[in-house]
Amino acid sequence: MDQSPEFLAQVRLLAEAGRDLSARGWLPARTGHFSARLDDRHIAVTAPNREKSFLDRHDFLVVDLDGHVVAGSEEPAPETFLHIIMYRHDVQLGAVLHTHSVHATVLSRQFPGTLALRDYEVLRELPGVKNPARGLDLPVFANDPDVQQLAARVDAAMTREPNLAGFLIGGHGLYTWGASVELALHRVEAFEFMFQCETLAHQMSR
Protein backbone atom coordinates (compact mmCIF):
# COMPACT_ATOMS: atom_id res chain seq x y z
CA MET A 1 0.00 0.00 0.00
CA ASP A 2 2.91 2.38 0.62
CA GLN A 3 3.66 2.27 -3.13
CA SER A 4 0.08 2.81 -4.29
CA PRO A 5 -0.72 5.86 -6.45
CA GLU A 6 -3.05 7.20 -3.75
CA PHE A 7 -0.37 6.91 -1.05
CA LEU A 8 2.27 8.58 -3.21
CA ALA A 9 -0.09 11.40 -4.20
CA GLN A 10 -1.25 12.10 -0.65
CA VAL A 11 2.19 12.02 0.95
CA ARG A 12 3.49 14.37 -1.75
CA LEU A 13 0.77 16.86 -0.80
CA LEU A 14 1.49 16.43 2.91
CA ALA A 15 5.22 16.91 2.32
CA GLU A 16 4.52 20.14 0.41
CA ALA A 17 2.30 21.29 3.29
CA GLY A 18 5.11 20.49 5.71
CA ARG A 19 7.59 22.65 3.82
CA ASP A 20 5.10 25.52 3.59
CA LEU A 21 4.04 25.44 7.24
CA SER A 22 7.62 25.01 8.46
CA ALA A 23 8.70 28.05 6.45
CA ARG A 24 6.03 30.07 8.26
CA GLY A 25 7.43 29.02 11.64
CA TRP A 26 4.42 26.95 12.63
CA LEU A 27 6.27 23.62 13.07
CA PRO A 28 9.35 24.17 15.28
CA ALA A 29 11.67 21.39 16.44
CA ARG A 30 10.09 18.41 14.66
CA THR A 31 6.66 19.15 16.14
CA GLY A 32 3.38 18.63 14.34
CA HIS A 33 1.62 15.66 12.87
CA PHE A 34 -0.08 15.21 9.47
CA SER A 35 -2.34 12.60 7.94
CA ALA A 36 -4.48 11.94 4.86
CA ARG A 37 -7.10 9.35 4.05
CA LEU A 38 -6.15 6.63 1.57
CA ASP A 39 -9.42 4.71 1.51
CA ASP A 40 -12.30 3.79 3.81
CA ARG A 41 -10.02 1.95 6.25
CA HIS A 42 -6.53 3.41 5.96
CA ILE A 43 -4.65 6.68 6.44
CA ALA A 44 -1.12 7.83 5.76
CA VAL A 45 0.34 9.55 8.83
CA THR A 46 3.70 11.08 9.67
CA ALA A 47 6.06 8.84 11.59
CA PRO A 48 7.23 10.18 14.99
CA ASN A 49 9.88 12.89 15.34
CA ARG A 50 10.23 13.89 11.72
CA GLU A 51 11.45 17.29 10.58
CA LYS A 52 8.48 18.57 8.59
CA SER A 53 10.62 20.66 6.26
CA PHE A 54 12.11 17.54 4.66
CA LEU A 55 9.33 14.97 4.51
CA ASP A 56 9.28 12.31 1.82
CA ARG A 57 7.39 9.04 1.43
CA HIS A 58 9.77 7.27 3.82
CA ASP A 59 8.57 9.54 6.65
CA PHE A 60 5.02 8.21 6.59
CA LEU A 61 3.27 5.15 7.97
CA VAL A 62 0.07 3.55 6.78
CA VAL A 63 -2.28 2.66 9.63
CA ASP A 64 -5.79 1.32 9.67
CA LEU A 65 -8.61 2.90 11.63
CA ASP A 66 -7.98 0.50 14.51
CA GLY A 67 -4.45 1.89 14.88
CA HIS A 68 -2.57 -1.07 13.39
CA VAL A 69 0.46 -0.34 11.22
CA VAL A 70 -0.07 -1.71 7.72
CA ALA A 71 3.07 -0.29 6.11
CA GLY A 72 6.17 1.04 7.86
CA SER A 73 8.59 -0.28 10.46
CA GLU A 74 7.88 2.13 13.35
CA GLU A 75 5.24 2.50 15.98
CA PRO A 76 2.92 5.45 15.29
CA ALA A 77 3.04 8.49 17.55
CA PRO A 78 0.42 8.49 20.34
CA GLU A 79 -1.34 11.46 18.66
CA THR A 80 -2.20 9.18 15.74
CA PHE A 81 -5.27 8.06 17.68
CA LEU A 82 -6.58 11.64 17.63
CA HIS A 83 -6.42 11.53 13.84
CA ILE A 84 -8.06 8.12 13.74
CA ILE A 85 -11.01 9.20 15.87
CA MET A 86 -11.67 12.10 13.51
CA TYR A 87 -11.59 9.88 10.41
CA ARG A 88 -13.92 7.45 12.12
CA HIS A 89 -16.27 10.26 12.99
CA ASP A 90 -16.50 11.86 9.54
CA VAL A 91 -16.32 9.75 6.40
CA GLN A 92 -15.88 12.94 4.31
CA LEU A 93 -12.73 13.95 6.19
CA GLY A 94 -9.70 13.67 3.92
CA ALA A 95 -6.78 15.22 5.80
CA VAL A 96 -5.74 16.43 9.27
CA LEU A 97 -2.98 18.95 9.98
CA HIS A 98 -1.57 19.59 13.46
CA THR A 99 0.69 22.62 13.95
CA HIS A 100 2.52 24.29 16.84
CA SER A 101 2.64 28.02 16.15
CA VAL A 102 3.58 30.51 18.85
CA HIS A 103 0.24 32.32 18.61
CA ALA A 104 -1.87 29.16 18.79
CA THR A 105 0.13 27.88 21.74
CA VAL A 106 -0.05 31.14 23.69
CA LEU A 107 -3.81 31.51 23.14
CA SER A 108 -4.40 27.88 24.10
CA ARG A 109 -2.84 28.65 27.49
CA GLN A 110 -4.66 31.94 28.00
CA PHE A 111 -8.15 30.73 27.08
CA PRO A 112 -8.79 27.27 28.52
CA GLY A 113 -12.12 25.85 27.45
CA THR A 114 -13.05 28.13 24.54
CA LEU A 115 -11.50 30.77 22.33
CA ALA A 116 -14.13 33.11 20.84
CA LEU A 117 -13.37 34.25 17.29
CA ARG A 118 -15.64 37.05 16.05
CA ASP A 119 -15.88 39.58 13.22
CA TYR A 120 -13.15 38.18 11.01
CA GLU A 121 -13.98 38.01 7.31
CA VAL A 122 -11.73 34.96 7.02
CA LEU A 123 -14.24 33.06 9.17
CA ARG A 124 -16.16 32.54 5.92
CA GLU A 125 -13.44 30.03 4.99
CA LEU A 126 -14.74 27.73 7.74
CA PRO A 127 -17.83 25.52 7.45
CA GLY A 128 -21.09 26.74 8.92
CA VAL A 129 -19.99 30.36 9.45
CA LYS A 130 -22.32 32.52 7.36
CA ASN A 131 -22.17 35.57 9.59
CA PRO A 132 -18.67 36.53 10.80
CA ALA A 133 -20.23 38.69 13.52
CA ARG A 134 -21.56 35.54 15.15
CA GLY A 135 -18.23 33.84 14.57
CA LEU A 136 -17.36 30.60 16.29
CA ASP A 137 -16.26 29.29 19.66
CA LEU A 138 -13.13 27.23 19.13
CA PRO A 139 -12.76 24.40 21.67
CA VAL A 140 -9.59 24.44 23.75
CA PHE A 141 -8.92 21.06 25.37
CA ALA A 142 -6.59 20.54 28.28
CA ASN A 143 -3.63 18.42 27.26
CA ASP A 144 -3.97 14.85 28.50
CA PRO A 145 -1.28 12.12 28.50
CA ASP A 146 -4.13 9.65 27.95
CA VAL A 147 -4.67 10.32 24.26
CA GLN A 148 -7.71 8.05 24.09
CA GLN A 149 -9.49 10.13 26.72
CA LEU A 150 -8.59 13.28 24.82
CA ALA A 151 -9.84 11.68 21.60
CA ALA A 152 -13.15 10.85 23.28
CA ARG A 153 -13.60 14.53 24.19
CA VAL A 154 -12.78 15.54 20.62
CA ASP A 155 -15.29 13.01 19.28
CA ALA A 156 -17.97 14.38 21.61
CA ALA A 157 -17.25 17.95 20.46
CA MET A 158 -17.53 16.90 16.81
CA THR A 159 -20.85 15.24 17.59
CA ARG A 160 -22.20 18.38 19.30
CA GLU A 161 -20.98 20.64 16.48
CA PRO A 162 -21.01 18.92 13.07
CA ASN A 163 -19.45 21.98 11.40
CA LEU A 164 -16.49 22.06 13.77
CA ALA A 165 -13.31 22.60 11.74
CA GLY A 166 -10.63 22.79 14.40
CA PHE A 167 -9.60 22.86 18.03
CA LEU A 168 -6.68 23.80 20.24
CA ILE A 169 -4.92 21.70 22.86
CA GLY A 170 -3.51 23.63 25.78
CA GLY A 171 0.19 24.33 25.32
CA HIS A 172 0.17 22.08 22.29
CA GLY A 173 -1.25 23.83 19.24
CA LEU A 174 -3.90 23.59 16.53
CA TYR A 175 -5.68 20.68 14.90
CA THR A 176 -7.69 21.37 11.78
CA TRP A 177 -8.92 19.26 8.89
CA GLY A 178 -10.82 19.19 5.63
CA ALA A 179 -11.95 17.05 2.73
CA SER A 180 -8.48 17.38 1.19
CA VAL A 181 -4.96 18.37 2.14
CA GLU A 182 -5.43 21.64 0.26
CA LEU A 183 -8.59 22.53 2.19
CA ALA A 184 -6.99 21.62 5.52
CA LEU A 185 -4.04 23.87 4.64
CA HIS A 186 -6.39 26.76 3.86
CA ARG A 187 -7.98 26.31 7.28
CA VAL A 188 -4.61 26.35 9.02
CA GLU A 189 -3.95 29.68 7.30
CA ALA A 190 -7.37 31.06 8.31
CA PHE A 191 -6.99 30.03 11.93
CA GLU A 192 -3.42 31.29 12.16
CA PHE A 193 -4.39 34.68 10.75
CA MET A 194 -7.04 35.01 13.46
CA PHE A 195 -4.68 33.77 16.17
CA GLN A 196 -2.13 36.43 15.25
CA CYS A 197 -4.83 39.11 15.25
CA GLU A 198 -6.12 37.95 18.65
CA THR A 199 -2.64 37.96 20.15
CA LEU A 200 -1.93 41.46 18.84
CA ALA A 201 -5.32 42.75 20.01
CA HIS A 202 -4.74 41.47 23.55
CA GLN A 203 -1.29 43.03 23.62
CA MET A 204 -2.66 46.40 22.47
CA SER A 205 -5.50 46.36 25.02
CA ARG A 206 -3.12 46.21 28.00
Side-chain angles (χ1 to χ4, degrees):
M1 180 171 287
D2 63 343
Q3 297 296 325
S4 70
E6 183 66 14
F7 172 84
L8 295 174
Q10 292 287 54
V11 300
R12 178 181 58 80
L13 292 172
L14 291 174
E16 290 174 357
R19 288 190 288 274
D20 181 12
L21 297 173
S22 294
R24 297 171 187 243
W26 297 343
L27 292 165
R30 299 190 300 177
T31 57
H33 209 45
F34 302 162
S35 67
R37 188 188 292 275
L38 301 178
D39 57 35
D40 291 344
R41 290 292 304 161
H42 301 91
I43 63 172
V45 63
T46 42
N49 301 317
R50 292 303 200 272
E51 169 55 58
K52 304 307 182 296
S53 300
F54 304 108
L55 294 173
D56 64 26
R57 64 186 181 86
H58 303 291
D59 297 308
F60 290 86
L61 307 173
V62 177
V63 301
D64 65 23
L65 296 189
D66 294 317
H68 301 127
V69 176
V70 174
S73 59
E74 299 177 61
E75 288 296 312
E79 296 97 322
T80 300
F81 195 74
L82 274 175
H83 294 241
I84 287 171
I85 204 71
M86 289 186 269
Y87 288 104
R88 287 182 187 174
H89 185 93
D90 184 356
V91 297
Q92 301 301 317
L93 194 152
V96 177
L97 299 177
H98 169 43
T99 52
H100 282 246
S101 76
V102 170
H103 297 284
T105 304
V106 168
L107 290 171
S108 75
R109 293 166 63 91
Q110 291 185 327
F111 296 93
T114 302
L115 173 64
L117 298 171
R118 303 282 189 273
D119 294 317
Y120 293 109
E121 186 64 21
V122 75
L123 281 163
R124 297 184 189 276
E125 291 292 319
L126 304 177
V129 182
K130 297 181 180 179
N131 182 356
R134 296 184 63 182
L136 63 81
D137 294 321
L138 187 69
V140 182
F141 299 104
N143 204 352
D144 192 330
D146 188 331
V147 176
Q148 295 203 14
Q149 286 194 22
L150 179 56
R153 293 198 294 274
V154 170
D155 187 53
M158 294 178 76
T159 299
R160 289 192 303 271
E161 180 49 68
N163 287 320
L164 185 67
F167 60 86
L168 291 169
I169 298 177
H172 195 68
L174 170 71
Y175 276 82
T176 190
W177 52 87
S180 66
V181 175
E182 181 182 23
L183 183 54
L185 186 59
H186 288 168
R187 290 177 178 172
V188 172
E189 293 171 342
F191 278 120
E192 289 293 347
F193 170 80
M194 292 186 283
F195 295 159
Q196 291 183 49
C197 289
E198 287 291 308
T199 304
L200 181 59
H202 287 293
Q203 288 174 341
M204 294 177 68
S205 66
R206 292 177 180 173

